[in-house]
Amino acid sequence: MSLFEIALIGGMALITFGIRYGLFAVGHRVRFNPLVSRALTYVPVAVLTAIIVPAMLMPGDGGMQLSWHNAYLVGGLAAIVIAALSRNLLATIFGSMLLFFLWRWLLA
Amino acid sequence: MPTPLKAFACGARDTLPMLLGALPFGIIFGTLAIASGLSMPATLLMSALVFAGSAQFIAVSLVASGAGLLVILVTTLIVNLRHMLYSASMLPYVRDLPQRWKVPLAFWLTDETFAVVHRHYLDASAPTEHKHWYFLGSCIAMYSNWFACTLIGALLGSSLPGMAGWGLDFAMVATFIGIVVPLLRTRPMLLSAVVAGAVALAAHALPYKLGLMLAALAGVCAGVLAERWGAESGKLTGGVDEPV
């Protein structure tokens, strides 16, 4: 393992454990400021969407690829439709990946 | 009368559906980590010591894109902040336990275990004894499943070195979409996603993946503001129940 990997994993482990254990360690009943707890509920959606959208529209760190030749865009749109209709994680992953690979194979 | 062992087994059993959901996620993580250039020991160690699926996925995609250590660690912090909500919700049930229980239960507190165990603590018909054993059962089930799946994925990834070019990173996009879309049930949530996505695109060229931080922050602010504004104008009560 490289030094980078050790620092990466050590750092991520400490941060994650710190977040999970912090309140358990203090041990008193905690009441979050309502604003803070409302804000925290938006974090997963905001972070994940901020990753999803550029990955679909700008794959491979190129520029914007608003075209049906972009399999990431086509597969991502399919995933959105499947997820909205089925609300099933496995169906979303497998259905959209199937289309993604099929699309790449058809375009190749 | 339930024994600790029975409670443990029940916790593991009730977590079974979650294990199925995590199965492809773990395998894909393993292959993706190897394809991103992480070594085999580092991949396994990350699953063993960090044990946070979304954060691990994002970290390896950041490693692949050449992001620096600090960027990855700050992203980990932001992505995992939600766990603080979980531990706050679990605190009333675990605060009288000794530290030798609190430390491992906190380490293993994931989205899935929280969902299963919190429901069990609220369930008045469940026996009140040994609920921490139930908690532990759920934890061990998730942890061993996650590690085994990572191992399978990492072995697959290293036996098929061409996998990096297969576009497997799309699996991450698909997984995140599958997580996010069902959450978009209120207007503030939807607005939060739209703003985060738009800012992420606009700020994509910024160095150190700053665009990601900026987009996440903008998305959170948009959601909170929309919720407040909606509550004040009386169209939405609390902004959590009204479907779009």
Side-chain angles (χ1 to χ4, degrees):
Chain A
M1 284 212 315
S2 69
L3 202 62
F4 173 78
E5 288 176 330
I6 293 171
L8 174 73
I9 293 165
M12 285 180 70
L14 279 178
I15 288 168
T16 307
F17 179 70
I19 293 169
R20 288 172 175 166
Y21 179 64
L23 297 180
F24 281 13
V26 180
H28 306 294
R29 180 172 286 274
V30 184
R31 287 195 64 82
F32 274 120
N33 174 322
L35 186 64
V36 173
S37 66
R38 291 313 303 156
L40 282 179
T41 61
Y42 288 96
V43 170
V45 164
V47 173
L48 295 181
T49 310
I51 292 166
I52 294 166
V53 174
M56 278 172 61
L57 289 168
M58 304 169 160
D61 269 336
M64 187 80 101
Q65 291 182 39
L66 261 177
S67 132
W68 57 269
H69 285 283
N70 176 358
Y72 287 85
L73 180 59
V74 174
L77 290 175
I80 292 171
V81 172
I82 299 171
L85 294 178
S86 73
R87 299 194 177 264
N88 181 317
L89 183 58
L90 286 184
T92 306
I93 296 174
F94 287 121
S96 64
M97 281 188 76
L98 194 69
L99 184 74
F100 172 81
F101 286 117
L102 203 68
W103 203 264
R104 274 168 64 112
W105 179 74
L106 285 173
L107 289 179
Chain B
M1 197 166 101
T3 62
L5 195 67
K6 264 191 193 154
F8 180 92
C10 282
R13 185 202 59 201
D14 291 350
T15 309
L16 221 74
M18 302 293 184
L19 299 186
L20 283 179
L23 208 79
F25 205 39
I27 295 175
I28 294 166
F29 168 74
T31 47
L32 204 61
I34 299 290
S36 305
L38 231 56
S39 69
M40 180 72 127
T43 302
L44 297 178
L45 211 59
M46 191 185 275
S47 277
L49 296 181
V50 181
F51 191 44
S54 329
Q56 288 180 230
F57 254 88
I58 296 166
V60 296
S61 73
L62 288 174
V63 168
S65 72
L69 187 63
L70 191 67
V71 176
I72 303 177
L73 293 182
V74 173
T75 311
T76 301
L77 178 74
I78 294 172
V79 172
N80 282 337
L81 265 183
R82 68 185 187 286
H83 288 113
M84 209 177 259
L85 275 184
Y86 301 159
S87 62
S89 308
M90 295 307 296
L91 187 59
Y93 311 115
V94 303
R95 67 176 164 179
D96 294 328
L97 292 172
Q99 290 297 333
R100 70 189 152 82
W101 273 95
K102 283 196 227 175
V103 170
L105 291 183
F107 174 77
W108 282 318
L109 184 61
T110 54
D111 304 79
E112 290 87 350
T113 286
F114 172 74
V116 171
V117 176
H118 192 247
R119 199 186 309 147
H120 182 71
Y121 272 103
L122 291 175
D123 182 2
S125 67
T128 50
E129 294 175 299
H130 308 310
K131 283 199 175 178
H132 52 297
W133 283 94
Y134 180 97
F135 193 161
L136 186 69
S138 172
C139 290
I140 299 291
M142 280 304 295
Y143 189 61
S144 45
N145 181 63
W146 182 245
F147 189 80
C149 290
T150 304
L151 179 64
I152 294 169
L155 289 173
L156 266 176
S158 34
S159 57
L160 298 165
M163 269 177 121
W166 287 10
L168 263 183
D169 48 335
F170 178 74
M172 186 188 78
V173 178
T175 308
F176 288 170
I177 289 175
I179 294 172
V180 165
V181 170
L183 294 175
L184 304 179
R185 288 162 68 188
T186 66
R187 283 191 199 121
M189 273 298 175
L190 196 62
L191 186 74
S192 171
V194 169
V195 169
V199 174
L201 276 184
H204 192 251
L206 290 180
Y208 309 117
K209 295 271 168 191
L210 277 173
L212 175 63
M213 310 289 156
L214 212 61
L217 192 69
V220 169
C221 291
V224 172
L225 286 176
E227 195 179 293
R228 296 211 133 189
W229 184 74
E232 271 167 27
S233 68
K235 285 176 191 157
L236 271 167
T237 45
V240 271
D241 296 322
E242 181 167 318
V244 176

